[in-house]
Amino acid sequence: MLYYLFQYLEAEYQVPGARLFEYISFRSAMAIILSLAISTIYGKRIISYLLAKQVGESVRDLGLRGQSEKAGTPTMGGLIIIFATLVPVLLFAKLENIYVILLIVTTLWMGAIGFIDDYIKTFKKDKEGLKGKFKVLGQIGLGIIVGGTLFFHPGVTVKEETNEPAPEKQELVDSFQNIREMGPEIKTTTTTIPFVKNNEFDYSSLISWIDPALKNYAWLIFIPIVIFIVTAVSNGANLTDGIDGLAAGSSAIIVLTLGIFAWVSGNIIFSDYLNIMYIPRSGEMTIFISAFAGALVGFLWYNTYPAQIFMGDTGSLTIGGIIAVLAVATRKELLIPVLCGIFLMENLSVVLQVAWFKITKRKYGEGRRIFLMSPLHHHYQKRGYHESKIVVRFWIIGIFLAIVTIITLKVR
């Protein structure tokens, strides 16, 4: 909203400084500052309110050290993250931008699913919360909305290079020798394959090899892939939210990395210099990402050990959904196994544990385990590691994976 206000002031009255709001970098900086302020200053008030309403965590006895002390800690802290993200976005982003709209819808959609789950656990005293099938249905619904929008919306396009130098950018040729004229915007389901030269892959090729005319029906392939990504990443974030600060810190690292991809992909100069896909209007996602990252870091103020509040499913499902949509929108979804390696490890540890238990139970008459407990962070707790040490080491791994992900911009 402030973006439109200052745009009007610049056009009508040439107010000094109003043009700053034209720059994504300025608006991103303002968004992250405001989101940090909201999450840290108003976060305390939200915690006090939740305590007054006795919205406390009901802790299951898993035999973990320090677990009993966490009983009664306020949950639904994801409300802090959602509020601290949306306010700066509404103030500083271009609200007609399709990518921003999708991210706002994702935040509210997944936030609502998580809130219902936390509400049932807290107020209905049902430790199971929202039934798993309803969570999955919600994730599938979001996947259909996101996949359908990205496939059919006319504003979701890319530009490809031609072989001619761009005459209007001739003055930049001395600095960037490889700048080429970009062709018209086109609709495509092309994505990026990491670590591969000429690394573009078109999902439509999975069906158009049968008959070129089937390319128009590529949505039959694309939308299920988006549904899978949304479901997998949101569940991965949900499983990672098990000890103080782990999910919020790991997610902040992932989101900031995606912010780099969104910024360079939406900038015609840097996308051309780095020889990556230029996605018009995608740079506006940087404002949302900045606000989201600020909200996560601000939430960590209260969520680090010993946590004063838990994010609950209100936060973890929202975080996973946003990360999934950002990855698909920037066409970097094939980097998710690397960038979201922490989520992947947590997911795999549960899948392997359950699968091995069932296999050995059928074979030997009793179930056996690979890990002392799953998800993976609980395994290390069982081995006697303090949860702060586990969290920091997972963050270090997350930073390493983020660096490897960023390196893919040039290493092909």
Side-chain angles (χ1 to χ4, degrees), residues 300-341:
L300 271 175
W301 185 271
Y302 301 106
N303 187 238
T304 49
Y305 181 86
Q308 296 173 255
I309 190 168
F310 301 137
M311 68 171 63
D313 281 13
T314 306
S316 60
L317 289 176
T318 303
I319 287 170
I322 290 172
I323 289 173
V325 174
L326 285 171
V328 175
T330 55
R331 308 191 185 227
K332 299 294 184 292
E333 66 271 20
L334 297 183
L335 279 167
I336 286 176
V338 180
L339 179 58
C340 301

Coordinates of all heavy atoms in Angstrom, one line a residue, residues 300-341:
L300 N 12.7 -16.5 16.1 CA 13.8 -17.2 16.8 C 14.2 -16.5 18.1 O 14.7 -17.2 19.0 CB 15.1 -17.3 15.9 CG 15.2 -18.5 15.0 CD1 16.4 -18.3 14.1 CD2 15.2 -19.8 15.8
W301 N 13.9 -15.2 18.3 CA 14.2 -14.5 19.5 C 13.5 -15.2 20.7 O 14.0 -15.2 21.8 CB 13.7 -13.1 19.4 CG 14.1 -12.2 20.5 CD1 13.3 -12.0 21.6 CD2 15.2 -11.4 20.7 NE1 13.9 -11.1 22.5 CE2 15.1 -10.7 21.9 CE3 16.4 -11.1 19.9 CZ2 16.0 -9.8 22.4 CZ3 17.3 -10.3 20.4 CH2 17.2 -9.6 21.6
Y302 N 12.3 -15.7 20.4 CA 11.5 -16.4 21.5 C 11.5 -17.9 21.4 O 11.1 -18.6 22.3 CB 10.1 -15.9 21.4 CG 10.0 -14.4 21.6 CD1 9.7 -13.6 20.5 CD2 10.2 -13.8 22.8 CE1 9.6 -12.2 20.6 CE2 10.1 -12.4 23.0 CZ 9.8 -11.6 21.9 OH 9.7 -10.3 22.0
N303 N 12.0 -18.4 20.3 CA 11.9 -19.9 20.0 C 13.2 -20.6 20.3 O 13.3 -21.8 20.3 CB 11.5 -20.1 18.6 CG 11.2 -21.6 18.3 OD1 11.8 -22.2 17.4 ND2 10.3 -22.2 19.1
T304 N 14.4 -19.9 20.5 CA 15.6 -20.6 20.8 C 15.5 -21.1 22.2 O 14.8 -20.7 23.0 CB 16.8 -19.6 20.7 OG1 16.5 -18.4 21.4 CG2 17.1 -19.3 19.2
Y305 N 16.4 -22.1 22.5 CA 16.3 -22.8 23.7 C 16.6 -21.9 24.9 O 17.6 -21.1 24.9 CB 17.4 -24.0 23.7 CG 17.4 -24.8 25.0 CD1 16.5 -25.8 25.2 CD2 18.2 -24.5 26.0 CE1 16.5 -26.6 26.3 CE2 18.2 -25.2 27.2 CZ 17.4 -26.3 27.3 OH 17.3 -27.0 28.5
P306 N 15.9 -22.0 26.0 CA 14.6 -22.7 26.1 C 13.5 -21.9 25.5 O 13.3 -20.7 25.8 CB 14.4 -22.8 27.6 CG 15.1 -21.6 28.2 CD 16.3 -21.3 27.3
A307 N 12.7 -22.5 24.7 CA 11.7 -21.8 23.9 C 10.6 -21.2 24.8 O 10.1 -21.9 25.7 CB 11.0 -22.7 22.9
Q308 N 10.2 -20.0 24.5 CA 9.1 -19.3 25.2 C 7.8 -19.6 24.4 O 6.7 -19.3 25.0 CB 9.3 -17.8 25.3 CG 10.5 -17.4 26.2 CD 10.8 -16.0 26.1 OE1 11.8 -15.5 25.5 NE2 10.0 -15.2 26.8
I309 N 7.9 -20.0 23.2 CA 6.8 -20.3 22.4 C 7.1 -21.3 21.3 O 8.3 -21.3 20.8 CB 6.2 -19.0 21.7 CG1 4.8 -19.3 21.1 CG2 7.1 -18.4 20.7 CD1 4.1 -18.1 20.7
F310 N 6.2 -22.2 20.9 CA 6.4 -23.1 19.8 C 5.6 -22.6 18.6 O 4.5 -22.0 18.8 CB 5.9 -24.5 20.1 CG 6.7 -25.1 21.3 CD1 6.0 -25.8 22.3 CD2 8.0 -25.0 21.4 CE1 6.6 -26.3 23.4 CE2 8.7 -25.5 22.5 CZ 8.0 -26.2 23.5
M311 N 6.1 -22.8 17.4 CA 5.3 -22.4 16.2 C 4.1 -23.2 15.9 O 3.1 -22.7 15.3 CB 6.2 -22.3 15.0 CG 6.7 -23.7 14.5 SD 7.6 -23.6 12.9 CE 9.0 -22.5 13.3
G312 N 4.1 -24.5 16.3 CA 3.0 -25.4 16.1 C 2.8 -25.6 14.6 O 3.6 -25.2 13.7
D313 N 1.8 -26.4 14.2 CA 1.5 -26.6 12.8 C 1.1 -25.3 12.1 O 1.3 -25.2 10.8 CB 0.4 -27.7 12.6 CG 1.0 -29.1 12.9 OD1 2.1 -29.2 13.4 OD2 0.3 -30.1 12.6
T314 N 0.6 -24.4 12.8 CA 0.3 -23.1 12.2 C 1.5 -22.5 11.5 O 1.4 -21.9 10.4 CB -0.2 -22.1 13.3 OG1 -1.3 -22.7 14.0 CG2 -0.6 -20.8 12.6
G315 N 2.7 -22.7 12.1 CA 3.9 -22.2 11.5 C 4.6 -23.1 10.6 O 5.0 -22.8 9.5
S316 N 4.7 -24.4 11.0 CA 5.6 -25.3 10.3 C 4.9 -25.7 8.9 O 5.6 -25.7 7.9 CB 5.8 -26.6 11.1 OG 4.6 -27.3 11.4
L317 N 3.6 -25.9 8.9 CA 3.0 -26.2 7.6 C 3.1 -24.9 6.7 O 3.2 -25.1 5.4 CB 1.5 -26.6 7.8 CG 1.3 -28.0 8.4 CD1 -0.2 -28.2 8.7 CD2 1.9 -29.1 7.5
T318 N 2.9 -23.8 7.2 CA 3.0 -22.5 6.4 C 4.4 -22.4 5.9 O 4.6 -22.0 4.7 CB 2.6 -21.3 7.3 OG1 1.3 -21.5 7.9 CG2 2.7 -20.0 6.5
I319 N 5.4 -22.6 6.7 CA 6.8 -22.4 6.2 C 7.1 -23.4 5.1 O 7.6 -23.0 4.0 CB 7.8 -22.8 7.4 CG1 7.8 -21.6 8.4 CG2 9.2 -23.0 6.9 CD1 8.5 -21.9 9.7
G320 N 6.7 -24.7 5.2 CA 6.9 -25.6 4.2 C 6.2 -25.3 2.9 O 6.8 -25.4 1.8
G321 N 5.0 -24.8 3.0 CA 4.2 -24.5 1.8 C 4.8 -23.3 1.1 O 4.9 -23.3 -0.2
I322 N 5.3 -22.3 1.8 CA 5.9 -21.1 1.2 C 7.2 -21.5 0.5 O 7.4 -21.0 -0.6 CB 6.1 -20.0 2.3 CG1 4.8 -19.4 2.7 CG2 7.0 -18.9 1.7 CD1 4.9 -18.5 3.9
I323 N 8.0 -22.3 1.2 CA 9.3 -22.7 0.6 C 9.0 -23.5 -0.7 O 9.7 -23.3 -1.7 CB 10.1 -23.5 1.6 CG1 10.6 -22.6 2.7 CG2 11.3 -24.2 0.8 CD1 11.3 -23.4 3.8
A324 N 8.1 -24.3 -0.7 CA 7.7 -25.1 -1.9 C 7.3 -24.2 -3.1 O 7.8 -24.4 -4.2 CB 6.6 -26.1 -1.6
V325 N 6.4 -23.3 -2.8 CA 5.9 -22.4 -3.8 C 7.1 -21.5 -4.4 O 7.2 -21.2 -5.6 CB 4.8 -21.5 -3.3 CG1 4.3 -20.5 -4.3 CG2 3.6 -22.4 -3.0
L326 N 7.9 -21.0 -3.5 CA 9.1 -20.2 -3.9 C 10.0 -21.0 -4.8 O 10.4 -20.4 -5.9 CB 9.8 -19.7 -2.7 CG 9.2 -18.6 -1.9 CD1 10.0 -18.3 -0.6 CD2 9.2 -17.3 -2.7
A327 N 10.2 -22.2 -4.5 CA 11.1 -23.0 -5.3 C 10.5 -23.3 -6.7 O 11.2 -23.2 -7.7 CB 11.4 -24.4 -4.6
V328 N 9.2 -23.6 -6.8 CA 8.6 -23.8 -8.0 C 8.5 -22.5 -8.9 O 8.8 -22.5 -10.1 CB 7.2 -24.4 -7.8 CG1 6.5 -24.6 -9.2 CG2 7.3 -25.8 -7.2
A329 N 8.2 -21.4 -8.2 CA 8.0 -20.2 -8.9 C 9.3 -19.6 -9.5 O 9.4 -19.0 -10.6 CB 7.4 -19.1 -8.0
T330 N 10.4 -19.9 -8.8 CA 11.8 -19.5 -9.3 C 12.3 -20.5 -10.2 O 13.5 -20.4 -10.7 CB 12.7 -19.2 -8.2 OG1 12.8 -20.4 -7.3 CG2 12.3 -18.0 -7.3
R331 N 11.6 -21.6 -10.4 CA 12.0 -22.7 -11.3 C 13.3 -23.4 -10.8 O 14.2 -23.7 -11.6 CB 12.1 -22.3 -12.7 CG 10.8 -21.6 -13.2 CD 10.6 -21.4 -14.6 NE 9.4 -20.6 -14.8 CZ 8.5 -20.9 -15.8 NH1 8.7 -21.9 -16.5 NH2 7.4 -20.1 -15.9
K332 N 13.4 -23.5 -9.5 CA 14.6 -24.2 -8.9 C 14.1 -25.4 -8.0 O 14.8 -25.8 -7.1 CB 15.3 -23.2 -8.0 CG 15.8 -22.0 -8.7 CD 16.9 -22.4 -9.7 CE 17.5 -21.1 -10.4 NZ 16.6 -20.4 -11.3
E333 N 13.0 -26.0 -8.4 CA 12.4 -27.0 -7.5 C 13.3 -28.3 -7.5 O 13.3 -29.1 -6.6 CB 11.0 -27.4 -7.9 CG 10.8 -28.0 -9.3 CD 10.6 -26.9 -10.4 OE1 11.0 -25.8 -10.2 OE2 10.1 -27.3 -11.5
L334 N 14.1 -28.5 -8.6 CA 15.0 -29.7 -8.6 C 16.1 -29.5 -7.7 O 16.9 -30.5 -7.5 CB 15.4 -29.9 -10.0 CG 14.3 -30.3 -11.1 CD1 14.9 -30.6 -12.4 CD2 13.5 -31.4 -10.6
L335 N 16.3 -28.3 -7.1 CA 17.4 -28.1 -6.1 C 16.9 -28.3 -4.7 O 17.7 -28.3 -3.8 CB 17.9 -26.6 -6.2 CG 18.9 -26.3 -7.3 CD1 19.1 -24.8 -7.5 CD2 20.2 -27.0 -7.0
I336 N 15.6 -28.6 -4.5 CA 15.0 -28.8 -3.2 C 15.7 -29.9 -2.4 O 16.0 -29.8 -1.2 CB 13.5 -29.1 -3.3 CG1 12.8 -27.8 -3.6 CG2 13.0 -29.7 -2.0 CD1 11.3 -28.0 -3.8
P337 N 16.1 -31.1 -3.0 CA 16.8 -32.1 -2.3 C 18.1 -31.7 -1.7 O 18.6 -32.2 -0.6 CB 17.0 -33.3 -3.3 CG 15.9 -33.1 -4.3 CD 15.7 -31.6 -4.4
V338 N 18.7 -30.7 -2.3 CA 20.0 -30.1 -1.8 C 19.7 -29.0 -0.8 O 20.1 -29.1 0.3 CB 20.9 -29.6 -3.0 CG1 22.2 -29.0 -2.4 CG2 21.2 -30.7 -4.0
L339 N 19.0 -28.0 -1.3 CA 18.7 -26.8 -0.4 C 17.9 -27.2 0.8 O 18.2 -26.7 1.9 CB 17.9 -25.8 -1.2 CG 17.6 -24.5 -0.5 CD1 18.8 -23.8 0.1 CD2 16.8 -23.6 -1.4
C340 N 16.9 -28.0 0.7 CA 16.1 -28.5 1.8 C 16.6 -29.8 2.4 O 15.8 -30.7 2.7 CB 14.6 -28.5 1.4 SG 14.0 -27.0 0.8
G341 N 17.9 -30.0 2.4 CA 18.5 -31.3 2.8 C 18.1 -31.7 4.2 O 17.9 -32.9 4.5

